Amino acid sequence: MAHDTAAPERLDREIAGLDALELAAGARRNPLLRVWSALWPMVTAVGIALLAWQAVVWSGWKESYVLPGPADTLPVLWDQLTSGRFWEAVALTMQRALIGFAVSILAGVLVGALVSQSRILRRAFGSLITGLQTMPSIAWFPLAILLFQLSESAILFVVVLGATPSIANGLIAGVDYTPPILLRAGKVMGLRGANLYRHLIMPASLPSFVAGLKQGWAFAWRSLMAGELLVIIGDTTSLGVLLSQARELNATADMISYMIVILLIGIVIDQLFGVVDRAIRTRWGLDSD
């Protein structure tokens, strides 16, 4: 009998020792090393992209005034970054993006919550939501311009229609993959209706929901860029307007510099979503780092 009780105690001590070693190893890891381990893949990717770009220029495929190389474009990009007009354009574009994405989140959560909790609504609108998600956002602009003319509302309309289905589908998928044992446990604990959804289903579906938000942002950002190229409102200046003006003037270096900025904004937002995703994984004990 003594032997039977000693074995579990010894196993517990060994597991505790392994946990302590793992925590100590994580604590000893140099913060600078962590930053470098996160940055070097991106730095390498940028270097490869610049080298490939320069190789295309060296090949003579296009004249330098049609396709300038990094040495000609990067100084133009720096000039843009030091221009007040440029930052006014970035501010307007980001304002539109944040407003459109916020409205999309509200609409997506509402639609996803209703559809995920009703079999009738699922059968009626489930395929429609997926169909809207696959529809090219640029196809909405003729209708948007017809309904709202050349206005901020036309751009917002297309951004919301582009992002909302992805957010709704992310929430629906998260609800669908909530473990049944959690639902039974919640009901045993007295959770019903809105409380069950708020305190159990929503937290359980959070990883899938964040993935839906990330995809929704990608659709919103692409819809916004298309909208700013097609819907030019008065004398307002946005990234899309600057890009369109550079194209009309055949200022290829300026055009590429604006494209780089649009790409960098997308990368930064993706990194922010990555931070949220890692925080969720850490909280759930899924982060092995």
Side-chain angles (χ1 to χ4, degrees), residues 5-261:
T5 58
E9 293 177 356
R10 185 171 61 255
L11 179 60
D12 291 340
R13 288 195 300 269
E14 292 174 355
I15 293 175
L18 291 174
D19 290 341
L21 287 174
E22 184 176 356
L23 291 174
R28 287 194 303 268
R29 190 171 182 184
N30 193 327
L32 294 178
L33 183 60
R34 292 176 61 90
V35 172
W36 172 244
S37 66
L39 287 179
W40 78 261
M42 290 185 288
V43 173
T44 303
V46 170
I48 293 173
L50 291 175
L51 182 61
W53 178 9
Q54 186 61 57
V56 173
V57 174
W58 282 335
S59 70
W61 177 55
K62 295 292 182 180
E63 298 293 335
S64 59
Y65 65 88
V66 177
L67 181 62
D72 296 322
T73 304
L74 295 181
V76 174
L77 174 60
W78 175 254
D79 291 339
Q80 297 295 343
L81 294 177
T82 57
S83 168
R85 182 170 181 262
F86 169 79
W87 288 110
E88 290 177 1
V90 172
L92 177 58
T93 296
M94 293 307 300
Q95 177 183 336
R96 289 171 172 171
L98 294 176
I99 292 175
F101 190 53
V103 175
S104 301
I105 292 175
L106 293 176
V109 169
L110 178 61
V111 172
L114 291 175
V115 171
S116 64
Q117 294 302 301
S118 172
R119 292 184 178 180
I120 296 177
L121 292 178
R122 175 77 63 94
R123 293 172 182 172
F125 297 105
S127 298
L128 176 61
I129 294 173
T130 302
L132 290 174
Q133 183 178 353
T134 59
M135 188 170 180
S137 58
I138 198 169
W140 289 107
F141 277 103
L143 177 61
I145 295 173
L146 182 64
L147 293 175
F148 303 103
Q149 310 304 319
L150 297 178
S151 65
E152 296 285 346
S153 298
I155 298 176
L156 180 64
F157 175 78
V158 177
V159 170
V160 172
L161 283 178
T164 298
S166 296
I167 297 172
N169 270 337
L171 181 57
I172 293 170
V175 172
D176 287 345
Y177 284 96
T178 301
I181 191 172
L182 288 181
L183 297 176
R184 290 195 296 268
K187 292 177 180 179
V188 169
M189 296 174 64
L191 294 178
R192 295 288 188 279
N195 286 330
L196 178 66
Y197 202 89
R198 175 185 175 187
H199 296 290
L200 192 148
I201 295 177
M202 275 298 292
S205 62
L206 196 56
S208 180
F209 180 55
V210 171
L213 289 177
K214 184 176 180 179
Q215 189 177 46
W217 167 260
F219 279 103
W221 187 239
R222 287 189 294 179
S223 300
L224 177 60
M225 290 300 102
E228 290 189 343
L229 287 170
L230 294 175
V231 181
I232 299 177
I233 304 169
D235 58 351
T236 59
T237 302
S238 63
L239 282 175
V241 171
L242 293 178
L243 190 62
S244 178
Q245 292 175 349
R247 177 185 58 82
E248 292 172 357
L249 297 173
N250 290 326
T252 311
D254 292 84
M255 186 171 62
I256 295 177
S257 66
Y258 297 136
M259 293 170 64
I260 291 173
V261 170

